[in-house]
Amino acid sequence: MKKIKWYAYMLLVMGTFMVSCSDDENSANKQTEVKFYLTDAPTSENYKAVNIDIKEVRYSIDGETWENLPITEATYNLLDFTNGKDTLLSNITLLEGEHISQIRLILGDDNELVLEDGTVVPITTPSAQESGLKFNVQENIVTSSGYAVMIDFDASKSIVKKGNGGYSLKPVIRAYVVENTAAVYGNILPAKVPYHVFTVAGQDTISAISDTTLNNYFMLHGLKTGTYKVEFQSLDSDIVLFSTNVDVFGGTNKDLGIINLAQ
């Protein structure tokens, strides 16, 4: 009788161990999808296009080892991706728990600026072609499933006019996890006058220019949880016409409705 009880006990222990091992293996083999998007902060300059030649996009999990994203080399007009518009660059599958920490953007030589009068001028990029443009993903990833990494390429701050009349590219880029952040959006009156909308978030000034072709729509995106002062200015003045405090909760976008600046 004692031997039977002892065998039963051992079978129970072994069964529990096997189930535990199986659960651990299943957990270790779980995968999550990560998507990479490109967007742009609008520019107040009257450029017709800011064309950026993207050759490679690399990512790192540990900050030391780098992997290439499966992308097709292409030239992107950054002005096509403003006020909440974006484009998918690539998607990959990682093991659950692996988080993107850094991204490196490799640019080609075919970067150009189309001015208001239609003149096409090259943009020099002295360092981007060699080692690439490296930047951090700005917050810890706390999502339990797939997530999206947004690469926000600020065209307005990145284009530098040189003394000889040429232009150079000194990229200002931030990257964030969409699911951990929120957007603030709305429309402005008068509807036919574009305005500069911005807020300061840590060391970043997150800005937008209202789009008169879309009922003067604006969007500030990539905001972490917190309270922000959102300010509105005309494009030709630093005078703040209106400001409002907005409470933001990561993952929940907020509609400010219609902001009437005509009063």
Side-chain angles (χ1 to χ4, degrees), residues 78-99:
L78 296 179
L79 302 188
D80 288 339
F81 312 119
T82 61
N83 273 326
K85 290 177 281 188
D86 54 54
T87 186
L88 178 66
L89 292 176
S90 184
N91 59 285
I92 58 172
T93 300
L94 297 177
L95 292 178
E96 190 175 82
E98 290 184 327
H99 298 151

Side-chain angles (χ1 to χ4, degrees), residues 78 84 111-112 129 162 180 191 217 226 255:
L78 296 179
N111 304 291
E112 59 184 24
Q129 297 95 328
K162 300 188 291 186
N180 287 356
Y217 177 82
D255 184 359

Side-chain angles (χ1 to χ4, degrees), residues 29-145:
N29 291 327
K30 284 185 179 179
Q31 295 183 327
T32 187
E33 184 180 38
V34 183
K35 296 182 178 181
F36 293 78
Y37 291 88
L38 176 69
T39 190
D40 174 41
T43 174
S44 59
E45 303 292 340
N46 292 321
Y47 302 138
K48 286 191 172 180
V50 180
N51 296 319
I52 302 299
D53 179 18
I54 297 180
K55 294 296 186 184
E56 295 180 27
V57 181
R58 301 172 185 168
Y59 69 91
S60 178
I61 295 171
D62 57 12
E64 298 179 1
T65 305
W66 292 87
E67 301 288 344
N68 279 18
L69 285 180
I71 71 164
T72 300
E73 295 181 13
T75 298
Y76 296 87
N77 177 12
L78 296 179
L79 302 188
D80 288 339
F81 312 119
T82 61
N83 273 326
K85 290 177 281 188
D86 54 54
T87 186
L88 178 66
L89 292 176
S90 184
N91 59 285
I92 58 172
T93 300
L94 297 177
L95 292 178
E96 190 175 82
E98 290 184 327
H99 298 151
I100 305 297
S101 66
Q102 292 182 318
I103 298 173
R104 192 185 296 270
L105 209 60
I106 311 294
L107 302 184
D109 297 319
D110 297 328
N111 304 291
E112 59 184 24
L113 189 64
V114 182
L115 304 180
E116 186 178 12
D117 63 1
T119 303
V120 179
V121 294
I123 310 173
T124 59
T125 53
S127 62
Q129 297 95 328
E130 299 173 9
S131 60
L133 308 164
K134 185 173 71 172
F135 45 95
N136 296 324
V137 178
Q138 292 182 337
E139 71 278 327
N140 293 327
I141 299 170
V142 296
T143 57
S144 58
S145 58

Side-chain angles (χ1 to χ4, degrees), residues 1 13 23 31 37 66 75 91 95 100 126 172 191 203 212 233 241 244 258 260:
M1 188 68 178
V13 170
D23 288 344
Q31 295 183 327
Y37 291 88
W66 292 87
T75 298
N91 59 285
L95 292 178
I100 305 297
V172 176
Q203 297 180 342
T212 56
Q233 297 177 346
L241 302 174
T244 182
I258 296 176
N260 192 345

Side-chain angles (χ1 to χ4, degrees), residues 159-191:
I159 304 298
V160 179
K161 188 173 183 178
K162 300 188 291 186
N164 62 3
Y167 293 84
S168 63
L169 184 68
K170 294 186 177 179
V172 176
I173 302 172
R174 67 187 179 113
Y176 61 87
V177 175
V178 174
E179 287 77 5
N180 287 356
T181 63
V184 170
Y185 62 94
N187 299 82
I188 300 175
L189 290 177

